[in-house]
Amino acid sequence: MEKKIALIKGDGIGPEIVDQAVRVLDKICEKYGHTFHYQRVLMGGESIDATGVPLTDQALADAKASDAVLLGSVGGPKWDSQPGHLRPEKGLLQIRKGLGLFANLRPAYLYPQLKEACPLREDIIGDGFDMIVVRELTGGLYFGTHETNEENGELVAHDDLRYSESEIRRIAVKGFEIAKKRRCHVTSVEKSNVLDSSRLWKKIVHEVAESYPEVELTDMLVDNCAMQLVKDPKQFDVILTENMFGDILSDEASMVTGSIGMLSSASLNETKFGLYEPSHGSAPDIAGKDLANPIATILSAAMMLRYSFDMDKEADDIEAAVRKVLEQGYRTPDIRSRISPEGEIAVGCKGMGDAIVAAL
Ligand code: IPM
Ligand code: MG
C-alpha cells in the first residue's frame, strides 16, 4: 500500500520522538512491502520562527491533502510571551478545528512490565487497568472567545464555554461505539452540579445511551473522577468527556499508568482521516538531550496504521514490539522502576527506537 503522511515534528522533544517513530514506520514498510511518503509540515514554534504564524493556510492544506498526520509536540518557553493567537499551541488548535478532528482517543493501559513505575500502591494496581479517554476536541472552552478587557480600572478576562447538542451527540456516539468493542462501560464526566454546558452534556449523553442498551452508563462529576482515577482506576473502561476536562483527566490517566511518555492519541473526524500525536507536551527541559521516551509517539503511529490505513496486523506488530522491549527491560528515564531499577537496561530516545526497530 502507498500512503502519504504529513509529518509535523514541532518543538522541544518533538523532532527526536518523531524521528524514532519514522524509523519504526520505515521498518514496517520494509517488512510488509508498503511505501510511505512523508511530507514535512510546519506548525507551532517552528512555524512561528519560519513564517510568523503558528500554522499557515498552506500547511493546513498540505495536512488535508495527506492520508494522515503524525505530530510530535508543540510549544516552549521561547514563545511564552507571544499573544494568545500567535502561540505555538494555537497552531495545534487551528489544525484540530481545520481538519474537523472532534474525537480524541487516549488509551491508558498499565503494562504489567511497568507496574513498578506506577505511582500507585500495589493493592490499588491489582492486576492492572485499561481505559480510554474519549475527549471532545473541537468545542468547549478552547474554542470560545477569549478576551481581556479593562473594566472599572482593572483587567477582566473571560473565556466562553459553549456546546451544541450536535457537538455532544457525535462525540457521545463515538464513545458508545468504542465501548461496544471493549468492556461495554461508559463513564460520562461533567460538572452538571454547576455548569449549563454540563447539564446539556448529561442530557444528550443519556439520549444517545438509549440506542446502546448493551453499554452501561455511569455519570460522574469531574472532581470525583479526578479522585477515582487514583483511588480505583480499575473501574474505568471508556471515559467520555468534554475538551477541557479531557485534557486534564488524560494527563492524570497517563500518569497512573506509569508515565505520560507512554500515552498515545488519535484525533479523528467522521472519515478515516486522523492526526496522531503523543498526549504529552514538548518537554523543553529535556529537549535535545536524548532523554525523551518515544513510545507514546511510536504507539500513536501504530494507531495511525490501525485507524486510518486499516493495517491492523502492522499495528499489532508495533504494539507487540513495544511490549517485547519492555519485557527485555529497556527503560527511558521516565519509566525506570521506583523499586528495583537494577535489572533494567537504561536507554535514551534513540536507544529505545533502536530496541523497538530490532524487535520488529
Ligand atoms: C494536549 C495538550 C494541548 C491541549 C495543548 C498543547 C494545547 O495539552 O493535547 O493535551 O490542551 O489540548
Ligand atoms: Mg494536555
Side-chain angles (χ1 to χ4, degrees), residues 74 89 92-93 96 104 106 135 137 142 243 247 250-251 277-280:
V74 294
E89 292 81 1
L92 183 55
L93 302 189
R96 286 174 178 169
N104 183 214
R106 299 188 158 181
R135 169 190 178 194
L137 202 61
Y142 279 60
N243 204 346
D247 176 45
S250 61
D251 268 31
E277 57 171 322
S279 298
H280 58 70

Side-chain angles (χ1 to χ4, degrees), residues 6 30-31 48 63 79 104 118 125 177 195 228 235 284 335 358:
E30 187 189 313
K31 213 169 150 179
I48 294 172
W79 305 278
N104 183 214
C118 174
I125 299 172
E177 286 293 331
L195 302 175
Q228 295 296 335
Q235 69 185 286
I335 50 173

Side-chain angles (χ1 to χ4, degrees), residues 12-75:
I13 58 172
E16 303 165 57
I17 53 181
V18 169
D19 284 348
Q20 297 313 314
V22 168
R23 291 180 63 210
V24 168
L25 289 172
D26 286 344
K27 184 74 196 177
I28 289 289
C29 285
E30 187 189 313
K31 213 169 150 179
Y32 293 87
H34 301 308
T35 307
F36 295 154
H37 303 284
Y38 303 104
Q39 180 178 14
R40 280 290 306 279
V41 170
L42 295 186
M43 193 180 89
E46 56 165 3
S47 173
I48 294 172
D49 290 349
T51 71
V53 292
L55 183 75
T56 62
D57 293 345
Q58 186 57 48
L60 180 60
D62 288 344
K64 246 185 206 156
S66 66
D67 295 306
V69 183
L70 184 65
L71 163 67
S73 51
V74 294

Side-chain angles (χ1 to χ4, degrees), residues 96 104-106 132-137 139 142 163 171 189-190 201 222 225 229 239-254 260 263 265 279:
R96 286 174 178 169
N104 183 214
L105 318 184
R106 299 188 158 181
I132 182 165
V133 179
V134 176
R135 169 190 178 194
E136 201 292 322
L137 202 61
Y142 279 60
Y163 266 109
I171 190 70
V189 177
E190 29 73 2
W201 177 277
V222 62
C225 182
L229 270 169
I239 296 180
L240 171 65
T241 191
E242 61 95 62
N243 204 346
M244 175 86 158
F245 298 157
D247 176 45
I248 299 167
L249 294 175
S250 61
D251 268 31
E252 190 184 359
S254 71
I260 192 162
L263 195 75
S265 104
S279 298

Side-chain angles (χ1 to χ4, degrees), residues 28 65 110 113 121 180 213 220-221 223 243 282 284 300 326 330 336-337 339 342:
I28 289 289
L110 180 67
Q113 299 88 347
R121 278 199 325 259
K180 240 168 66 175
M220 194 176 279
L221 296 174
D223 47 352
N243 204 346
S282 58
S300 301
L326 295 176
Y330 289 96
R336 308 269 342 237
S337 167
I339 302 156
E342 302 81 29

Side-chain angles (χ1 to χ4, degrees), residues 95-330:
I95 202 170
R96 286 174 178 169
K97 192 75 168 181
L99 299 172
L101 307 171
F102 68 91
N104 183 214
L105 318 184
R106 299 188 158 181
Y109 170 77
L110 180 67
Y111 286 83
Q113 299 88 347
L114 293 186
K115 266 188 177 174
E116 292 188 0
C118 174
L120 302 181
R121 278 199 325 259
E122 185 80 44
D123 60 310
I124 298 175
I125 299 172
D127 51 8
F129 31 82
D130 176 4
M131 60 192 134
I132 182 165
V133 179
V134 176
R135 169 190 178 194
E136 201 292 322
L137 202 61
T138 52
L141 264 179
Y142 279 60
F143 293 94
T145 50
H146 310 289
E147 264 178 28
T148 309
N149 299 311
E150 207 180 301
E151 285 173 28
N152 305 323
E154 63 172 345
L155 291 176
V156 177
H158 80 88
D159 301 278
D160 181 32
L161 165 51
R162 59 176 65 216
Y163 266 109
S164 67
E165 292 187 45
S166 55
E167 284 176 312
I168 300 169
R169 188 165 289 111
R170 65 182 179 177
I171 190 70
V173 167
K174 230 355 170 227
F176 280 90
E177 286 293 331
I178 290 170
K180 240 168 66 175
K181 295 192 197 133
R182 294 174 47 102
R183 300 194 306 279
C184 286
H185 185 208
V186 168
T187 306
S188 167
V189 177
E190 29 73 2
K191 187 73 184 169
S192 58
N193 53 349
V194 177
L195 302 175
D196 249 42
S197 55
S198 280
R199 287 188 273 269
L200 183 62
W201 177 277
K202 188 170 171 183
K203 174 174 179 282
I204 302 298
V205 169
H206 276 261
E207 282 175 25
V208 170
E210 282 172 22
S211 308
Y212 296 90
E214 69 277 46
V215 177
E216 189 191 339
L217 170 63
T218 304
D219 298 304
M220 194 176 279
L221 296 174
V222 62
D223 47 352
N224 184 27
C225 182
M227 178 184 79
Q228 295 296 335
L229 270 169
V230 289
K231 189 171 169 232
D232 178 22
K234 276 196 289 291
Q235 69 185 286
F236 296 106
D237 177 18
V238 174
I239 296 180
L240 171 65
T241 191
E242 61 95 62
N243 204 346
M244 175 86 158
F245 298 157
D247 176 45
I248 299 167
L249 294 175
S250 61
D251 268 31
E252 190 184 359
S254 71
M255 201 56 221
V256 305
T257 67
S259 167
I260 192 162
M262 299 293 297
L263 195 75
S264 57
S265 104
S267 305
L268 308 172
N269 61 18
E270 302 282 8
T271 71
K272 287 249 158 232
F273 185 86
L275 178 147
Y276 300 85
E277 57 171 322
S279 298
H280 58 70
S282 58
D285 52 321
I286 58 165
K289 297 187 182 155
D290 194 37
L291 293 173
N293 184 352
I295 291 181
T297 316
I298 290 169
L299 292 174
S300 301
M303 288 181 96
M304 174 174 77
L305 301 186
R306 192 183 301 287
Y307 291 108
S308 286
F309 302 166
D310 285 321
M311 296 179 182
D312 284 328
K313 201 153 44 80
E314 292 83 338
D316 288 345
D317 206 1
I318 294 177
E319 288 163 4
V322 168
R323 278 194 299 276
K324 183 167 171 200
V325 302
L326 295 176
E327 192 65 53
Q328 290 168 333
Y330 289 96

